[in-house]
Amino acid sequence: MSLNPQAEQLNGTLEKETPLIARLLSRRGRAIFWPREGILKQSAEAKNSQLNATVGIATEHGQAMKLESLHNQLNFEPNAYLPYAPSFGIPELRETWRQKIQEKNPSLSGPTTLPIVTSGLTHALSMIGYLFVDEGDRIILPDKFWGNYKLVFQNGYDAVLDSFETFREEKFNFEGLKHKLLDGQVGKKIILLNAPNNPSGYTPTREEAEIILQILREAADAGNKLLVICDDAYFGLVYEENILRESFFAGLADLHPNILAVKIDGCTKEEYTWGLRVGFITFGTKDLTEQSAHALEQKTAGAIRGNVSNSCHLSQRLILQTFESRTYEEEKQKNYDLLHSRYEKVRAILHEKKETYAPSFRALPFNSGYFMCLELKQLDSEQVRQILLKEFDTGVIAVGNLLRIAFSSVDEEQLEKLFDNIFQACKRLSS
């Protein structure tokens, strides 16, 4: 199939400016483009016309037509939230989020694109699949991973999730990662890092993070072309001093000319706005230029336009207004402190009752995020889950031989009861 000339032009820019990106693109990624011609171009040219009959919305006296019952609930002018947002996202939010990424990752020095707005982080991950994943491509990741990766990458793009054991002797399994990356043929390789991790609630220590970066550098030195996806859904929710506080993206953005890093993040967990569905995609690589960054942003926006057209305008406006609130930082710190306190309570419970719980389960390493996991000892996790539901009015998630516990959604005074219920359910099943 011949490519659209606009796609060819973007591919040519990438080949000339940053060949790595061109090499990593999937078949879909090579074919996609931002439609600069046609309706979008004509609408842009007519934007300031006195009589503008190009835009597919209804207007009244220069303002977007509205429903008063909706509009009266909000403090925006109709044109601030009712028209379509750009497929790239509204410019003010993109600039603001880039500033926040830099503030939260002070060591970030490599060249990056401007963040592109998505309809949540799952949508962002799917767009990365669209741009970079072909049928049969292997995605290397720890075996403790978010189940939705299967729907996004396996079902959506026919990828293979190629996992290794997450932990070895209570630490991140470096050898597992190294084996997957360095064994076999040299070529395109995709790696997915999720820290804090869902479901384990683990973030590598600073020392571990340095080793992970070194392994990735070794793989790139060997000639592999690496796409490293940094799923930062729970970014910032770290509860111990010695663990990685910045995103892996900060260390990867200028680590090696054979590494393209992608930061997938957003407001869902970071800003406690789960249902607003505002996520971001940001790219970084050592040889990124202004021209290749622009081309990659256009391809990403083209994929978004062909997928959901654009992300919710109102959600983006609400987020921007929240950032401008004088109480925003204080409110965010209060929520973080609450989650941190619950984490400390879970730690205390597991320490105090370690010997009591030992015959039934043990905690996997955890230090961050929303979750922690209990590894059951010779018990079926689904059977334990069913007993908890039916006899103890308690819900948890069963994954393999693990129970995933979302301490983020349980009030602190209920946490001890939660773990005691799990223990009693295990005893019930054992007997």
Side-chain angles (χ1 to χ4, degrees):
M1 182 183 72
S2 60
L3 299 184
N4 184 286
Q6 294 174 85
E8 292 278 23
Q9 184 178 4
L10 292 175
N11 293 343
T13 298
L14 293 173
E15 286 279 7
K16 177 184 176 183
E17 298 289 331
T18 313
L20 170 70
I21 300 173
R23 301 291 186 276
L24 289 171
L25 287 173
S26 67
R27 175 181 56 80
R28 293 182 185 88
R30 287 189 292 274
I32 198 60
F33 59 94
W34 174 250
R36 298 186 308 278
E37 308 297 330
I39 290 174
L40 292 178
K41 179 183 179 184
Q42 294 173 48
S43 296
E45 290 173 346
K47 182 178 181 180
N48 297 317
S49 299
Q50 183 178 4
L51 299 176
N52 186 357
T54 67
V55 184
I57 67 169
T59 63
E60 188 175 16
H61 305 303
Q63 289 282 338
M65 200 174 289
K66 63 185 182 298
L67 297 174
E68 292 292 345
S69 54
L70 169 66
H71 184 67
N72 290 341
Q73 301 177 56
L74 303 166
N75 63 347
F76 297 112
E77 289 297 317
N79 280 356
Y81 72 97
L82 285 174
Y84 298 116
S87 294
F88 297 82
I90 58 178
E92 308 98 298
L93 181 58
R94 298 177 70 201
E95 287 287 355
T96 299
W97 196 255
R98 174 158 67 176
Q99 292 168 15
K100 288 189 173 293
I101 288 175
Q102 190 64 64
E103 290 167 4
K104 298 169 188 174
N105 298 273
S107 70
L108 175 61
S109 59
T112 69
T113 63
L114 195 61
I116 300 130
V117 180
T118 61
S119 187
L121 278 77
T122 300
H123 180 224
L125 289 164
S126 182
M127 291 299 90
I128 295 306
Y130 187 107
L131 291 167
F132 296 102
V133 178
D134 281 312
E135 181 178 356
D137 279 352
R138 308 184 78 82
I139 299 177
I140 299 167
L141 75 173
D143 66 351
K144 304 296 181 287
F145 62 80
W146 183 39
N148 210 22
Y149 291 156
K150 293 180 180 179
L151 288 181
V152 172
F153 296 114
Q154 284 188 176
N155 293 77
Y157 300 101
D158 296 314
V160 176
L161 298 185
D162 190 10
S163 64
F164 59 91
E165 284 188 55
T166 305
F167 301 112
R168 180 169 291 179
E169 297 179 353
E170 303 296 302
K171 294 182 179 181
F172 186 87
N173 181 12
F174 309 114
E175 290 303 316
L177 172 62
K178 192 170 185 176
H179 172 74
K180 292 290 183 182
L181 268 175
L182 296 178
D183 284 8
Q185 291 185 336
V186 171
K188 172 183 173 180
K189 295 186 178 179
I190 304 171
I191 304 94
L192 202 166
L193 300 174
N194 173 215
N197 175 267
N198 175 5
S200 72
Y202 187 77
T203 294
T205 65
R206 292 189 180 98
E207 181 181 359
E208 288 173 333
E210 286 299 321
I211 297 172
I212 291 169
L213 291 175
Q214 180 57 37
I215 291 170
L216 292 169
R217 187 199 295 272
E218 286 180 34
D221 281 340
N224 293 291
K225 311 298 183 186
L226 305 183
L227 174 72
V228 186
I229 305 167
C230 304
D231 180 351
D232 291 345
Y234 300 88
F235 182 81
L237 297 173
V238 295
Y239 309 126
E240 300 288 350
E241 287 301 317
N242 66 327
I243 64 177
L244 181 67
R245 297 252 161 188
E246 297 187 41
S247 169
F248 274 107
F249 182 79
L252 288 165
D254 65 347
L255 184 65
H256 197 285
N258 279 344
I259 296 176
L260 174 63
V262 188
K263 191 177 196 308
I264 303 295
D265 58 17
C267 303
T268 307
K269 277 88 176 179
E270 285 194 52
E271 311 299 342
Y272 308 95
T273 55
W274 306 273
L276 293 188
R277 312 311 301 140
V278 177
F280 299 90
I281 298 172
T282 309
F283 298 96
T285 185
K286 195 175 187 68
D287 291 339
L288 191 70
T289 67
E290 184 178 345
Q291 292 79 11
S292 58
H294 183 61
L296 189 50
E297 289 172 26
Q298 287 195 313
K299 279 188 172 286
T300 306
I304 290 169
R305 178 166 174 77
N307 182 267
V308 296
S309 183
N310 53 81
S311 300
C312 176
H313 198 164
L314 176 58
S315 291
Q316 295 181 60
R317 289 292 174 195
L318 288 170
I319 292 294
L320 262 177
Q321 184 169 271
T322 300
F323 289 154
E324 294 165 0
S325 168
R326 60 182 178 80
T327 59
Y328 159 71
E329 294 290 352
E330 179 183 345
E331 292 163 358
K332 187 172 179 179
Q333 185 64 45
K334 180 181 178 181
N335 285 355
Y336 169 84
D337 290 344
L338 190 60
L339 290 174
H340 192 174
S341 182
R342 291 179 189 176
Y343 163 81
E344 294 290 355
K345 180 67 174 179
V346 171
R347 279 280 182 208
I349 293 166
L350 292 173
H351 177 73
E352 291 166 8
K353 300 192 175 184
K354 183 177 181 179
E355 297 303 320
T356 302
Y357 293 158
S360 299
F361 54 75
R362 74 177 187 95
L364 294 186
F366 71 104
N367 52 27
S368 52
Y370 277 17
F371 309 111
M372 57 83 59
C373 285
L374 299 176
E375 184 179 65
L376 301 183
K377 297 185 178 178
Q378 298 180 335
L379 295 172
D380 183 274
S381 65
E382 176 59 19
Q383 289 182 313
V384 174
R385 187 183 76 85
Q386 289 293 338
I387 292 172
L388 281 166
L389 277 176
K390 295 170 183 175
E391 300 184 31
F392 294 90
D393 199 22
T394 298
V396 296
I397 298 294
V399 185
N401 69 330
L402 305 176
L403 295 179
R404 190 195 75 175
I405 314 300
F407 58 83
S408 60
S409 62
V410 180
D411 290 336
E412 187 171 329
E413 60 270 20
Q414 294 294 320
L415 285 169
E416 189 161 4
K417 182 178 181 181
L418 169 65
F419 283 95
D420 282 345
N421 285 353
I422 294 170
F423 175 61
Q424 293 300 326
C426 289
K427 283 180 64 179
R428 190 76 50 91
L429 184 60
S430 296
S431 62

